[in-house]
Amino acid sequence: MAKEESFARLELVLGQDRLNTLRDSCVYVLGLGGVGSSCAEALARGGVGTLVLIDRDVVSASNINRQALAFHSTIGKPKAQVMRDMVLDINPGAQVFASTMFVEKERVGEQLAAFPAPNYVVDAIDTISQKLAVARWCQDEGIPLVSSMGGANKLDPCRLRFARIEKTSGDGLARVMRKECRKRGIRNLRVLFSDEPAACLNGPRTSEPGKRPPKGSDLGTLSYYPPIMGQMLASWVIRELVGLL
């Protein structure tokens, strides 16, 4: 009874046929940080039947402010395994493939071919070279993809929106991706981005007076921002899978 009731409120909105479509769908979530972990959680709660979860990192204390899988009890554990356990606790009937492998830009197709064929891919990776390799592979294989852009030092989630990469503005990561996609012939990549200028309310941090701060040392993230991005990505995937976009 509990298993049937867990998706009862979804059925009221979507109907059984669409729920069946989600149950029969396979979605990859690449990167399980603040964005990816919340996306994977929402996909599991939304009834997606097969999830492929990939992240090579382990949970650290600095993740606790924003990542769905980060607790003091999970520090030091592989994110992919923690997320797998979380998904199966939400939906014991799901198929979950969890991997701690590093997605290599030269071997993306070979590495991902080891998993069930996806109906959708969510890119929540931070590294530009990997994001581009995933986008190239999805375009070549005809696999729907949605990619997360930058959320660091952003304050207002109301500025988040979906667009083709060619139509983005005001996002540093999207600017680099836009340029590199154009060079590589990657077209019409769907992304979630914000045109809000990045804030740095406390100013850059430095280790010693008079020295420039280390790269990335002034990048912070608010507790709500990456999870909202992850939920929005999940909403896009679910709606497109069931034909509501």
Side-chain angles (χ1 to χ4, degrees), residues 112-188:
L112 298 184
F115 302 101
N119 300 102
Y120 225 104
V121 173
V122 176
D123 159 31
I125 303 171
D126 292 331
T127 308
I128 290 174
S129 60
Q130 291 172 290
K131 296 176 85 69
L132 290 166
V134 169
R136 174 87 264 173
W137 177 69
C138 287
Q139 178 172 289
D140 291 347
E141 298 296 323
I143 300 167
L145 166 70
V146 64
S147 182
S148 171
M149 296 291 104
N153 288 12
K154 302 286 179 117
L155 304 176
D156 183 4
C158 294
R159 301 280 288 270
L160 286 163
R161 63 181 186 271
F162 292 96
R164 300 293 183 184
I165 190 65
E166 296 86 354
K167 301 296 184 180
T168 57
S169 63
D171 183 302
L173 177 56
R175 181 173 62 252
V176 176
M177 287 289 292
R178 189 167 62 244
K179 177 181 177 181
E180 295 301 322
C181 284
R182 187 164 56 245
K183 287 165 57 175
R184 290 165 169 76
I186 299 170
R187 300 174 300 278
N188 298 320

Side-chain angles (χ1 to χ4, degrees), residues 2-178:
K3 184 177 179 181
E4 295 175 2
E5 289 180 354
S6 62
F7 297 116
R9 296 304 177 98
L10 294 175
E11 185 179 0
L12 290 174
V13 179
L14 299 176
Q16 190 58 54
D17 288 345
R18 291 192 179 98
L19 276 184
N20 291 343
T21 296
L22 293 173
R23 182 198 62 205
D24 296 337
S25 295
C26 174
V27 178
Y28 289 13
V29 182
L30 309 180
L32 297 170
V35 176
S37 61
S38 286
C39 179
E41 178 186 4
L43 292 170
R45 295 189 188 280
V48 173
T50 302
L51 288 169
V52 175
L53 310 171
I54 298 177
D55 195 302
R56 68 169 177 168
D57 289 337
V58 299
V59 179
S60 68
S62 65
N63 300 150
I64 290 175
N65 81 307
R66 67 197 182 281
Q67 299 189 11
L69 46 65
F71 304 89
H72 286 282
S73 61
T74 61
I75 290 174
K77 297 180 180 179
K79 290 183 180 181
Q81 298 303 321
V82 174
M83 197 75 241
R84 175 184 181 276
D85 293 344
M86 189 173 177
V87 168
L88 290 175
D89 203 10
I90 293 167
N91 180 12
Q95 290 191 78
V96 186
F97 300 83
S99 174
T100 58
M101 75 179 183
F102 177 73
V103 177
E104 301 176 38
K105 61 182 180 180
E106 301 87 357
R107 299 179 57 236
V108 168
E110 176 188 344
Q111 289 177 305
L112 298 184
F115 302 101
N119 300 102
Y120 225 104
V121 173
V122 176
D123 159 31
I125 303 171
D126 292 331
T127 308
I128 290 174
S129 60
Q130 291 172 290
K131 296 176 85 69
L132 290 166
V134 169
R136 174 87 264 173
W137 177 69
C138 287
Q139 178 172 289
D140 291 347
E141 298 296 323
I143 300 167
L145 166 70
V146 64
S147 182
S148 171
M149 296 291 104
N153 288 12
K154 302 286 179 117
L155 304 176
D156 183 4
C158 294
R159 301 280 288 270
L160 286 163
R161 63 181 186 271
F162 292 96
R164 300 293 183 184
I165 190 65
E166 296 86 354
K167 301 296 184 180
T168 57
S169 63
D171 183 302
L173 177 56
R175 181 173 62 252
V176 176
M177 287 289 292
R178 189 167 62 244

